[in-house]
């Protein structure tokens, strides 16, 4: 940090809670509107909260608004602790609120081939820049933005795997995703690229900023290659059936190792 805030621990606590609550609110809104628009039904669903009546519609939407309200409250508390107003945290937080609401309704980003892009931006560069700016008195860092991009792509790959898995059903429901617009063959090729792209980005970042230790991330490439090529080595049904779960495992392995390496090089 070029200029670390003296109350960084308290700020981190407040903004982390705000981020978590906003994420919960967004997920609940997605659950509610997927059920309302009949994307999730008794014949096809990966979120059974409303389909199996684990919760009622009113309960889900009310908890979502409550989480959103508390998220704003914790963000406001973090701003108070910062003791000064900075534009970047405000812009990024309320951009996340806008995306969270419009992901499944309103502008319907996920219904118009923008799901992966907004997830990449939100959980990659945006969230990293937001946290850094809050802790460093409103500063911006290209290093933070660039170094967070591989994680954003790895998370977007999880969503893409889910969209490949449900491409046919989404198309019947009128949901346009990248997966059902480019076809299964191209989707699997793009999926493989999304799994390998973070390694290429980390390597470029390591060379650009002279932190060649980061290239140790390539130790995980054999595992990722196995996951990336599995759909091409098996039948379409077998390749897609476990696609989502394999992508989640790959993300956890990559993220854990990459964050440890980042911690090591930043000392």
């Amino acid at each position: 940090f070029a200029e670390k805030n003296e109350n960084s621990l308290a700020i981190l606590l407040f903004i982390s809670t705000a981020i978590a609550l906003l994420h919960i609110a967004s997920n609940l809104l997605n659950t509610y509107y997927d059920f309302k628009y009949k994307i999730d039904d008794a014949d096809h669903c990966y979120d059974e909260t409303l389909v199996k009546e684990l919760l009622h519609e009113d309960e889900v939407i009310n908890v979502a608004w409550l989480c959103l309200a508390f998220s704003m409250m914790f963000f406001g508390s973090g701003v108070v602790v910062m003791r000064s107003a900075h534009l970047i945290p405000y812009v990024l937080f309320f951009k996340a609120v806008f995306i969270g609401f419009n992901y499944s309704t309103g502008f319907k980003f996920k219904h118009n081939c923008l799901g992966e892009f907004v997830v990449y931006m939100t959980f990659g560069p945006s969230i990293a820049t937001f946290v850094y700016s809050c802790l460093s008195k409103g500063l911006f860092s290209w290093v933070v933005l660039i170094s967070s991009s591989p994680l954003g792509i790895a998370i977007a790959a999880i969503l893409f795997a889910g969209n490949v898995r449900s491409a046919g059903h989404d198309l019947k429901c009128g949901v346009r995703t990248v997966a059902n617009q480019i076809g299964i063959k191209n989707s699997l090729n793009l999926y493989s690229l999304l799994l390998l792209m973070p390694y290429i980005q980390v390597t470029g970042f390591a060379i650009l900023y002279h932190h060649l230790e980061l290239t140790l991330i390539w130790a995980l490439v054999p595992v990722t290659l196995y996951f990336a090529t599995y759909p091409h080595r098996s039948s379409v049904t077998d390749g897609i059936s476990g696609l989502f779960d394999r992508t989640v495992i790959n993300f956890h392995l990559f993220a854990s190792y990459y964050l440890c390496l980042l911690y090591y090089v930043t000392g």
Side-chain angles (χ1 to χ4, degrees), residues 20 22 29 44 50 57 90 104 108 116 147 169 177 188-189 196 200 235 237 258:
L22 180 56
L29 286 172
H44 184 282
L50 289 173
E57 291 182 62
Y90 284 101
S104 303
K108 296 182 179 179
E116 288 84 2
S147 64
H169 178 74
T177 64
L188 293 178
N189 291 333
L196 295 172
I200 299 171
S235 65
T237 303
Y258 182 51

Side-chain angles (χ1 to χ4, degrees), residues 80-94:
V80 171
V81 176
M82 288 180 213
R83 297 180 181 174
S84 57
H86 307 295
L87 183 60
I88 293 176
Y90 284 101
V91 171
L92 292 177
F93 179 77
F94 286 105

